[in-house]
Amino acid sequence: MLEKIDLLKKIDQGDYKEKIKEQTLRLGELQRKLKDAKIPVSIVFEGMGASGKGTQINHLIQALDPRGFDVYANDKSTKEERMRPFLWRFWTKLPAQGRIALFDRSWYRQVTMERFDGKIKECDMAGAYKDIQSFERQLTDDGMVIIKLFLYISQKEQKSRLKKLDASKDTSWRVSSDDWRRNKEYDKFLSICEEMLEKTDTDFAPWTIIEAMDKDYAAVKIMTHVADRLEEAYHLCLSRGERKEKEVPIRTKEYQNGVLSGVDLTKTLTKEEYKREIDVLQERLEQLHSQIYRLKIPAIIGFEGWDAAGKGGAIRRLTSHLDPRGYKVYPTSAPNDMERVHHYLWRFWNNVPRSGHIAIFDRTWYGRVLVERIEGFCSENQWKQAYQEINEMEDHMANAGAVVLKFWIHIDKDEQERRFRARSEDPLKQWKITDEDWRNREKWDEYEEAVNEMLVRTSTTYAPWIVVEGNCKYYARVKILKTVVEALEAKISEAKKNT
Amino acid sequence: MLEKIDLLKKIDQGDYKEKIKEQTLRLGELQRKLKDAKIPVSIVFEGMGASGKGTQINHLIQALDPRGFDVYANDKSTKEERMRPFLWRFWTKLPAQGRIALFDRSWYRQVTMERFDGKIKECDMAGAYKDIQSFERQLTDDGMVIIKLFLYISQKEQKSRLKKLDASKDTSWRVSSDDWRRNKEYDKFLSICEEMLEKTDTDFAPWTIIEAMDKDYAAVKIMTHVADRLEEAYHLCLSRGERKEKEVPIRTKEYQNGVLSGVDLTKTLTKEEYKREIDVLQERLEQLHSQIYRLKIPAIIGFEGWDAAGKGGAIRRLTSHLDPRGYKVYPTSAPNDMERVHHYLWRFWNNVPRSGHIAIFDRTWYGRVLVERIEGFCSENQWKQAYQEINEMEDHMANAGAVVLKFWIHIDKDEQERRFRARSEDPLKQWKITDEDWRNREKWDEYEEAVNEMLVRTSTTYAPWIVVEGNCKYYARVKILKTVVEALEAKISEAKKNT
């Protein structure tokens, strides 16, 4: 999830000042409204070391009336705290109705830093996540708004910030040997954070990733996001009182995590490079296919992407050398009558491959958070819940030993237009292009927003999304086959180790 | 939970026939209504071996239109099923909208029988429960009604049923060596079932315990309960469509699990026996108190019971020999202003004892499902959710190493009246009795229903309820002290083993 995020977002100085002023006014007003509505708010700041949590908390509270909030720094636990159950120190600090609590590190400390330090046993992790989920669910059920922010910077940026802090007498005390260790083993700490985000990103208490390389950008994004969430909660509370259809204000889209915006679409391969590579990969896949059959490893491979991105062509290249008795391709279109009277995941459950077999889905269960979301075929609640439901399904399959991969084939709008036109002009391909394709194209921005959110919320360690640079079909196909080959190889060597 | 249930419930033959006829008509009509409303229903039959699951399923389907339901016997998994993730066999059998599926054993097989057989690793249990909860939540979020029945018989009854089956050629094939093993190790299997019921009893898919010693009683209770749940779901669906305040039909109370009805209130101790025993226990408690202090074991002891049941007297006897620096008594009355603006559990979290200390609560967090439920101080949804919330809190505390005990001191209505009158006539005790006490007394039946439900839903292996026969104060006090002594001794020896 994290590695997909475009970290280079910036804001210019003039824009920054204006936005801060705007959000400061908005936050002040919302704080008063939430006080009157008696809504308690908890704001959690988590993230990499030296990502600027303290600075950002300081920024945020400038906008708030000091009589209405409390800041808690959650360093190592005190003796009093260690004499109580783990959640005690947080329960006792919870904000009263109408108040705001800001937590600099929080109940996530144990599943991130303490886990990294080996202070929590791996087999206790499931229990720790369960405790956190119960805690947050109990509070939000009681009307609390929980806003969780994860401040994210790169290893290199972290190193240079730590160096700078270390160089000055005034700040060197803030850098501990633990900080340096987490920087050196950045990837290990990152993967711990990834799992934490995956396991605790719920519809009642979702995470928001803050790109914190540029402090000004982070400040604006945090203030805007907090204001959006408070406004949403206020309107929800109002509409509940009046028993009206709820009318939720639209979230500020400007600061959404960019995944697609960071994709380099200039990547290409020549025809010769392509031919050479694809042949090798296809032969290798053929061998691996018979190995996973013998080792009884199932594989589930999903394809999503823009219309005309090249899903069909990629699937053909992927399957051309495979034994047809060992794989099946399932095209997904609008549900039929039988499917319509079942849960939206039911039809995909029906097509779960046997062990040793590969199931390839041309469009997938992600329709729930793409077309169904955008066309209003399901309610807002339903598609918001779907992220967790889908993660749970994929987790279950991965736990049962399956390789689960999902490809988003990405092209830009111009490339799509070129391909649409080429199709309409080619009599052999005209059937592939319909009025609906042109209509969908008009909703490009809405889809882009939905795709970005989907990629962030459902790319997991056990079932990753692979964003494929698709402007060059050769490049795309090679990348897809290579990814499948590597994933199968990794699972096979894992399976061999376990026997 | 299970051991508390009064298993001797019966129904007489005339009554039985009439009730069956009544519920048959009702079920037929409800099936048609739910079909029109497109509500899918899953009914799960779990329970002890030879408890009559097959017979009861047969009974129930007599009332249903065969075109609208399917029965699935979930024996050991087939080869096809073993080649898929565990939940696959159930997902693919889920009922379409408007249909009913009956499961003879279900997704609970792995956490009961397979666990007993050692086929699932203990450290995988948390994951297995999580999978089940996600599965049921996904389905109920999608509008499915899940009814879970646990058929319960005693070890002796099970043995005699197995013998009878074994004796006849026609039925002996139904008794396997595994059945006999589960009978011989009845207590082990029972405690596995207890944990399963605790971990998967949720507000969206609650368990219902069926006293299955008397087959006729069980049949009537099952049919009535299923009809009640279907009616509830139908009304909920209607009221949602009309966006009206929901008007849920009242559940048939007649077949509630009796806990209080099975309590033997004739138990007594003479004054001499009492004096002898209480002295020994109090001295022992004194020793144990210093031991738990040294071993850093916290203890949380809650007292609930009818007005004038003798909570205060029992607490005095419990604490009289304890070092006052090591325990604290918290009386719980109506929440103050600060408490009112926090979560209802917040004030109890504030009083969590340090390790090595004892916290005694005179009335407790169970007010949520007793007085708040009955007086309407919280919504129906809120008290229904509270069972799980409270279990989660107590689980967290027990996991942190605490001894958690809850006493319900039980007296009958006549005894209460005697005590009330004695209090009003005694000038020294008049302050203890108010008009409110008399008013509460008028709601005895409502309270009895709430207490029964509370005891079944929140008596857990990690935080058990102890129902104390309270008509004789001597007996009650001795039982309470004895229970505390034994619980502390058990935890101390466990703690010593682990160091």
Side-chain angles (χ1 to χ4, degrees), chain A residues 80 83-84 87-88 91 94 97 131 134 137-138 341-342 346 349 352-355 389 392 396, chain B residues 80 83-84 87-88 91 94 97 131 134 137-138 341-343 346 349 352 354-355 389 392 396:
Chain A
E80 269 298 306
M83 291 175 85
R84 305 288 202 315
L87 283 172
W88 177 78
W91 263 98
L94 290 176
Q97 289 168 12
D131 275 350
S134 305
R137 191 180 33 67
Q138 289 202 16
V341 294
H342 279 93
W346 177 78
W349 272 99
V352 167
R354 295 186 199 171
S355 51
E389 291 167 346
E392 285 169 351
H396 187 75
Chain B
E80 270 299 306
M83 292 176 84
R84 305 290 202 312
L87 283 172
W88 177 78
W91 264 97
L94 290 175
Q97 289 168 11
D131 275 349
S134 306
R137 190 181 33 66
Q138 289 201 15
V341 294
H342 279 94
H343 192 281
W346 178 79
W349 271 100
V352 168
R354 295 186 196 172
S355 50
E389 291 167 346
E392 285 169 352
H396 187 74

Side-chain angles (χ1 to χ4, degrees), chain A residues 6 90 119 132 241 274 290 344 348 379 397 484:
Chain A
D6 176 10
F90 305 107
K119 281 184 194 148
I132 288 174
Y274 169 68
S290 70
Y344 73 98
F348 303 105
S379 71
M397 289 168 182
V484 174

Side-chain angles (χ1 to χ4, degrees), chain B residues 473-484:
Chain B
K473 287 185 179 180
Y474 296 151
Y475 181 86
R477 291 169 190 167
V478 166
K479 175 162 178 176
I480 289 167
L481 265 77
K482 219 179 244 175
T483 309
V484 174

Side-chain angles (χ1 to χ4, degrees), chain A residues 92-114:
Chain A
T92 51
K93 293 187 181 94
L94 290 176
Q97 289 168 12
R99 292 188 65 82
I100 300 176
L102 298 102
F103 295 93
D104 180 359
R105 298 232 179 257
S106 63
W107 44 95
Y108 286 98
R109 208 189 155 86
Q110 71 160 354
V111 292
T112 51
M113 320 207 9
E114 292 180 16

Side-chain angles (χ1 to χ4, degrees), chain A residues 214-441:
Chain A
D214 181 53
K215 287 191 180 186
D216 293 346
Y217 178 85
V220 172
K221 176 161 176 175
I222 289 171
M223 289 175 79
T224 312
H225 178 72
V226 170
D228 283 356
R229 289 286 307 277
L230 298 185
E231 195 166 336
E232 194 177 280
Y234 181 66
H235 279 257
L236 210 67
C237 169
L238 275 193
S239 64
R240 232 179 249 141
E242 297 169 15
R243 305 197 163 280
K244 274 200 312 188
E245 185 65 338
K246 68 180 182 186
E247 202 184 301
V248 176
I250 291 157
R251 291 249 182 112
T252 312
K253 289 176 189 174
E254 222 172 325
Y255 307 107
Q256 216 198 13
N257 295 129
V259 179
L260 297 184
S261 63
V263 176
D264 176 9
L265 284 176
T266 64
K267 293 186 178 172
T268 51
L269 280 186
T270 64
K271 196 166 185 179
E272 292 68 45
E273 289 171 315
Y274 169 68
K275 284 210 165 165
R276 204 172 40 227
E277 295 211 38
I278 205 87
D279 277 349
V280 178
L281 287 166
Q282 284 176 333
E283 273 172 40
R284 179 72 185 130
L285 255 182
E286 197 181 341
Q287 298 162 351
L288 292 171
H289 193 206
S290 70
Q291 287 191 37
I292 64 167
Y293 185 81
R294 273 187 293 119
L295 290 165
K296 297 194 194 315
I297 297 168
I300 296 160
I301 305 176
F303 284 87
E304 292 282 355
W306 300 104
D307 287 329
K311 291 184 293 295
I315 291 172
R316 269 201 306 283
R317 272 41 168 217
L318 179 63
T319 56
S320 69
H321 285 49
L322 302 183
D323 180 335
R325 290 165 302 182
Y327 79 88
K328 208 166 154 135
V329 178
Y330 299 97
T332 303
S333 47
N336 65 29
D337 286 352
M338 200 53 196
E339 290 161 353
R340 226 185 300 274
V341 294
H342 279 93
H343 193 281
Y344 73 98
L345 290 174
W346 177 78
R347 58 170 163 161
F348 303 105
W349 272 99
N350 271 287
N351 294 333
V352 167
R354 295 186 199 171
S355 51
H357 291 243
I358 301 179
I360 296 167
F361 294 87
D362 184 355
R363 300 215 179 273
T364 66
W365 40 99
Y366 286 95
R368 187 72 159 191
V369 295
L370 297 172
V371 58
E372 290 193 42
R373 165 182 176 171
I374 284 161
E375 300 294 341
F377 295 155
C378 66
S379 71
E380 189 177 333
N381 251 345
Q382 285 178 320
W383 63 257
K384 282 192 172 167
Q385 271 179 8
Y387 298 118
Q388 193 183 334
E389 291 167 346
I390 288 173
N391 285 340
E392 285 169 351
M393 179 179 77
E394 293 176 352
D395 184 38
H396 187 75
M397 289 168 182
N399 269 336
V403 172
V404 186
L405 296 173
K406 293 119 45 174
F407 293 98
W408 174 263
I409 310 188
H410 188 49
I411 54 174
D412 62 33
K413 226 177 155 179
D414 293 343
E415 177 66 21
Q416 190 187 49
E417 191 173 352
R418 263 192 300 280
R419 293 189 188 179
F420 275 12
R421 295 213 181 281
R423 284 182 179 185
S424 18
E425 284 155 20
D426 181 345
L428 285 174
K429 288 188 175 172
Q430 269 168 12
W431 62 273
K432 276 182 144 182
I433 181 104
T434 65
D435 288 352
E436 211 192 315
D437 292 327
W438 288 100
R439 272 196 304 276
N440 283 340
R441 188 175 153 76

Side-chain angles (χ1 to χ4, degrees), chain B residues 227-241:
Chain B
D228 283 356
R229 290 286 307 277
L230 298 186
E231 195 165 336
E232 195 178 279
Y234 181 66
H235 279 256
L236 210 69
C237 170
L238 274 193
S239 63
R240 233 179 247 143

